Amino acid sequence: MRRLIIIPAYNEQNNILSVIRNIQSFCQGYDFLVVNDCSKDRTVQVLVENSIPFLDLKVNLGIGGAVQAGYKYALENGYDVAIQIDGDGQHDVSFLDELVAPIEEGISDISIGSRYINKEGFQSSVLRRAGITFLSILIKIVTGNRIYDVTSGFRAINRKMIECFVNDYPQDYPEPESLVTAYKHGATIQEIPVIMRERQGGISSINARRSAYYMTKVSLAILLASMRKRKMI
Amino acid sequence: MITKRFHIILVIAVVLYLIIIIKMLKERVTILKYTLLWLLTGVVLLVFAIFPKTLKVLAGFFGIYADANFLFISLIVFLMLITFSLTHIVSRQNENNKRLVQELAIMDKRVRQIEKSLEEKDHK
């Protein structure tokens, strides 16, 4: 099986190298690809100087657009599994094999690294957890399936889902909405317990001012995605 | 009722409006495809301006007391149509733009790879 780790990066000059070094030392048998989403800092220079493979988006597309570019690359280059890891060091790559296992065994199409199964490690603030619970319940209502860590950006998908997401992936705040799209396409989704760290640098794309916008937009997107026609693949 | 004064002002304004739009189309400042709704608005307004009677009839049909109110409402409807069509266009452009940026990035990586392998060949 050919596996590609996709690492979307926006202004991650201080974190990206340690994320890559971690992958190189702990993960055998994985290729990796950074997708630079038009960073304003020295991210590109860091990538070039260390000859790290990367896609360079010349216009800022948002995290969904960046990850989707990675999926396109994975599809064109014949990868069987695509894994997404944040470029800020939140995700512990020592869980990679556990995350990918259900995909490679053919048990599920999407595997999500979840903070809320064993409730260990960084759990985020109370307010954010409330928001995540709300979205989780909303997804349960429209799809009938309960996923706890719906905003987790630590996930692995198989070839079938790569093909699906190349055609249909939200451009901003993609995580919860893409789960509904996946269910619509008949995907099986599984959560794997992982421990996440607090981000080691940079700033989250979702600050306090944007939370209301985030919740409204994502909730509407979930409802819309659930209303779209079912396409079985 | 539309007064004589307003009638004249309306005709002049609509003619000016149409002249400006057609001039911009002639000079290719705007593309016909995205200016069609503005033209349609202009033509309808021109009919209203030249034959204010139509305003009265239509206002009566829709149960609107004053002719001028019907004029306002039709203008608002046209403006809503135009702005919504712009949202539609922006959404499509956004999708096209996203696809281009992604394809360009993949192509750019391929070019870098080829350049690197050529360089290595030269060194041998």
Side-chain angles (χ1 to χ4, degrees):
Chain A
M1 288 249 185
R2 297 189 64 211
R3 313 138 161 170
L4 178 71
I5 301 174
I6 298 162
I7 309 143
Y10 178 66
N11 294 347
E12 300 286 7
Q13 60 176 19
N14 301 321
N15 305 306
I16 197 72
L17 205 55
S18 68
V19 173
I20 300 293
R21 294 285 174 254
N22 268 330
I23 292 173
Q24 284 170 329
S25 38
F26 295 112
C27 314
Q28 302 301 312
Y30 293 88
D31 291 344
F32 54 87
L33 176 76
V34 176
V35 184
N36 171 46
D37 193 11
C38 205
S39 296
K40 294 193 194 84
D41 64 355
R42 295 190 74 258
T43 303
V44 173
Q45 285 90 320
V46 173
L47 295 170
V48 171
E49 281 158 19
N50 295 280
S51 34
I52 295 161
F54 68 97
L55 293 182
D56 194 24
L57 301 181
K58 307 290 183 193
V59 172
N60 182 273
L61 291 185
I63 179 143
V67 171
Q68 192 183 37
Y71 289 150
K72 282 189 182 174
Y73 179 88
L75 188 69
E76 285 178 19
N77 292 277
Y79 283 96
D80 305 294
V81 184
I83 302 120
Q84 180 196 333
I85 290 182
D86 283 357
D88 59 10
Q90 271 192 92
H91 302 147
D92 186 346
V93 290
S94 57
F95 289 101
L96 258 186
D97 287 333
E98 288 168 53
L99 188 72
V100 170
I103 306 285
E104 300 205 327
E105 288 159 17
I107 297 170
S108 50
D109 300 307
I110 299 182
S111 167
I112 300 171
S114 173
R115 282 166 284 186
Y116 303 133
I117 302 289
N118 292 345
K119 299 198 167 62
E120 285 176 273
F122 178 59
Q123 296 284 304
S124 204
S125 67
V126 178
L127 214 60
R128 279 204 192 167
R129 276 212 306 279
I132 291 168
T133 309
F134 174 81
L135 294 176
S136 169
I137 292 168
L138 192 60
I139 289 176
K140 161 90 182 159
I141 290 169
V142 298
T143 68
N145 298 85
R146 186 74 197 255
I147 300 288
Y148 290 91
D149 204 348
V150 288
T151 60
S152 166
F154 190 23
R155 35 176 80 179
I157 66 175
N158 65 8
R159 176 114 187 146
K160 182 177 118 180
M161 290 327 293
I162 296 175
E163 280 167 16
C164 169
F165 286 160
V166 159
N167 290 317
D168 187 357
Y169 201 68
Q171 201 171 335
D172 48 358
Y173 316 130
E175 290 87 6
E177 184 189 342
S178 63
L179 295 177
V180 180
T181 308
Y183 276 126
K184 278 272 155 186
H185 286 78
T188 328
I189 305 178
Q190 190 174 351
E191 276 185 285
I192 303 291
V194 299
I195 296 169
M196 286 191 197
R197 291 183 287 253
E198 200 160 352
R199 52 186 304 118
Q200 293 168 340
I203 14 160
S204 167
S205 57
I206 302 159
N207 60 35
R209 215 186 59 229
R210 286 197 207 142
S211 330
Y213 172 74
Y214 175 87
M215 289 303 292
T216 315
K217 203 241 157 199
V218 173
S219 303
L220 283 174
I222 287 171
L223 291 176
L224 278 173
S226 74
M227 275 154 38
R228 289 201 184 101
K229 265 207 198 100
R230 181 182 293 267
K231 280 178 282 178
M232 298 295 271
I233 43 169
Chain B
M1 255 313 281
I2 301 265
T3 58
K4 194 89 200 155
R5 181 192 287 252
F6 183 58
H7 187 186
I8 293 166
I9 292 174
L10 197 61
V11 171
I12 294 171
V14 172
V15 168
L16 268 176
Y17 165 98
L18 279 170
I19 288 174
I20 291 170
I21 288 184
I22 291 168
K23 185 169 180 286
M24 292 189 113
L25 278 168
K26 247 173 63 188
E27 289 168 6
R28 296 181 194 283
V29 178
T30 59
I31 297 173
L32 180 60
K33 187 180 170 189
Y34 302 125
T35 318
L36 279 175
L37 269 174
W38 288 105
L39 275 178
L40 179 69
T41 309
V43 171
V44 172
L45 283 179
L46 193 65
V47 173
F48 288 163
I50 298 174
F51 312 105
K53 207 67 202 245
T54 51
L55 264 182
K56 202 179 181 58
V57 173
L58 283 169
F61 177 78
F62 285 105
I64 294 164
Y65 183 71
D67 305 359
N69 278 348
F70 179 77
L71 188 64
F72 291 147
I73 288 176
S74 44
L75 268 178
I76 290 170
V77 168
F78 273 117
L79 286 177
M80 281 175 75
L81 273 175
I82 292 170
T83 27
F84 191 77
S85 83
L86 289 177
T87 301
H88 177 83
I89 293 160
V90 167
S91 304
R92 210 177 41 214
Q93 301 280 20
N94 177 75
E95 186 60 30
N96 292 348
N97 177 52
K98 181 184 87 176
R99 225 174 272 172
L100 277 174
V101 171
Q102 290 173 336
E103 292 299 332
L104 177 67
I106 292 174
M107 207 69 93
D108 164 72
K109 181 173 189 302
R110 198 180 285 170
V111 170
R112 273 183 281 129
Q113 232 159 9
I114 293 170
E115 277 176 349
K116 209 177 137 200
S117 65
L118 281 177
E119 239 170 67
E120 279 163 11
K121 234 188 208 166
D122 283 351
H123 281 297
K124 272 177 197 166

